Amino acid sequence: MTLQELLTAALQQLDRGTDAQTLETWRDKLTRYLNDAIIDMTDAVQPRRTEQTEILCGTIDLAGLERPCIKVTALRKDGKRLPFYYGAGTSLIRVPCTADGPAALTYRYMPAMLAADTDVPELPEPCHGALVTYAVARERAAGDAAAAAQAGFQLYSQMRRALRRHAGELDAYRFENIY
């Protein structure tokens, strides 16, 4: 779903109009709520990506990655898994006893925040309904702590717990002896 569709769905659940003027009135507030939900949902889903990076002088600069890095989960070079550790700096990891060159870095990342109407959350499709539920619950709670807001947060929590981490990824379901 795009940001426009998420906003429309939230306004419909709030029993508000979905015309252009109403949408523009609520856009900033609901977008903030949706972005807060993305941040929260990232902890539940733990999205990962793999990028090619360069080892230079035994370190890798995480600031050069396409998305903000939450945690590095694996590093491979020439098909072999490499050891690494933090501590070289806030955005650096140290790769001991390895020659400089390209490597594949797998990491958990923070998805991009929604801003434009055509932006799509970088979370799996099953998360999109939960994002709308969270935004609706936040808006209802802003007025007062009514039972509807409480129920909305409970439903969101239930939807969040139902999501599986690393769904469909083979290495999430096997043990690997790396020593």
Side-chain angles (χ1 to χ4, degrees), residues 3-172:
L3 174 59
Q4 181 79 20
E5 293 168 336
L6 293 169
L7 294 172
T8 302
L11 287 172
Q12 287 173 341
Q13 287 188 23
L14 290 166
D15 294 326
R16 299 199 173 110
T18 57
D19 57 285
Q21 184 177 0
T22 305
L23 202 57
E24 193 57 39
T25 302
W26 291 97
R27 177 180 311 284
D28 291 340
K29 190 174 191 179
L30 291 177
T31 301
R32 271 196 319 271
Y33 293 159
L34 290 168
N35 285 331
D36 288 347
I38 287 173
I39 292 168
D40 185 55
M41 195 66 76
T42 297
D43 185 49
V45 177
Q46 296 186 356
R48 298 186 304 173
R49 64 187 298 141
T50 301
E51 287 184 31
Q52 290 298 319
T53 187
E54 287 288 325
I55 300 173
L56 298 172
C57 300
T59 61
I60 295 175
D61 186 6
L62 301 176
L65 299 173
E66 290 181 22
R67 294 283 178 261
C69 178
I70 295 174
K71 180 180 181 179
V72 176
T73 58
L75 180 63
R76 293 187 184 277
K77 182 174 182 178
D78 300 327
K80 295 169 83 175
R81 197 166 175 139
L82 298 176
F84 61 90
Y85 59 90
Y86 295 94
T90 55
S91 67
L92 298 174
I93 60 170
R94 171 111 18 232
V95 186
C97 305
T98 304
D100 290 356
L105 182 79
T106 303
Y107 64 101
R108 285 182 40 210
Y109 67 96
M110 178 59 65
M113 297 292 107
L114 302 174
D117 286 343
T118 56
D119 288 351
V120 177
E122 295 177 342
L123 293 172
E125 189 72 32
C127 297
H128 296 187
L131 298 176
V132 173
T133 302
Y134 180 84
V136 170
R138 281 279 300 268
E139 177 54 31
R140 286 187 175 144
D144 58 34
Q150 295 275 340
F153 284 124
Q154 288 175 354
L155 179 60
Y156 168 75
S157 295
Q158 183 180 9
M159 294 168 85
R160 186 178 183 269
R161 281 192 307 270
L163 295 170
R164 292 185 356 204
R165 295 179 182 179
H166 313 304
E169 296 175 4
L170 180 61
D171 60 349

